[in-house]
């Protein structure tokens, strides 16, 4: 039986990938792309809207995404489904999370410097520049 030495992992420097069959590996973080069926847990310290690509919409077609605010505060915007409708906004504070539905375009804006965690399947993730962002 092979055992892996137990070591502390810096969650702000790497991501955790959960593979089918239960294997968990520390890897580099990815915003898009990824192996089918592999979940990514990524933790970020963010200081500005640029750090969360607030000028882009993001969408994960293969799974829901848990967006978790560990410290600070953030607004999660969901793009309207109906033309002309307003964006839905969920305010997250330290210790709260929201689940973004599969295939739903979303973006973040900061209320304060924050520590965030996202959990999703990255495979197929798409980014689209906001028209209002110029």
């Amino acid at each position: 039986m092979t055992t892996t030495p137990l070591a502390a992992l810096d969650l702000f420097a790497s991501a955790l990938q959960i593979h089918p069959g239960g294997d968990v590996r520390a890897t580099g973080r990815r915003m898009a792309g990824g192996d089918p069926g592999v979940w990514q847990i990524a933790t970020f310290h963010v200081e500005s809207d640029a750090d969360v690509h607030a000028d882009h919409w993001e969408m994960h077609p293969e799974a829901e995404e848990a967006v978790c605010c560990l410290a600070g505060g953030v607004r999660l915007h969901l793009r309207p489904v109906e033309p002309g409708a307003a964006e839905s906004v969920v305010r997250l504070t330290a210790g709260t999370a929201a689940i973004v539905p599969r295939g739903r375009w979303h973006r973040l804006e900061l209320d304060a410097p924050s520590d965030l965690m996202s959990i999703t399947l990255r495979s197929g993730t798409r980014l689209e520049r906001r028209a209002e962002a110029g």
Side-chain angles (χ1 to χ4, degrees), residues 36-57:
V38 176
W39 286 81
Q40 177 178 268
I41 300 172
T43 306
F44 306 88
H45 178 75
V46 291
E47 295 279 336
S48 71
D49 284 342
D51 294 335
V52 293
H53 58 80
D55 59 344
H56 282 74
W57 292 105

Side-chain angles (χ1 to χ4, degrees), residues 31 44 46 48-58 65 67-68 74-78 90 92 100 106-111 116-118 130:
M31 290 308 297
F44 306 88
V46 291
S48 71
D49 284 342
D51 294 335
V52 293
H53 58 80
D55 59 344
H56 282 74
W57 292 105
E58 179 180 63
E65 178 181 24
V67 177
C68 311
V74 64
R75 283 164 283 138
L76 171 65
H77 295 260
L78 298 173
V90 177
L92 299 176
V100 178
H106 59 284
R107 65 185 181 88
L108 297 173
E109 289 183 331
L110 297 184
D111 289 332
L116 306 175
M117 178 184 290
S118 74
R130 287 179 54 219

Side-chain angles (χ1 to χ4, degrees), residues 79-87 104:
R79 186 157 78 182
V81 176
E82 299 295 324
E87 294 178 9
R104 187 75 187 267

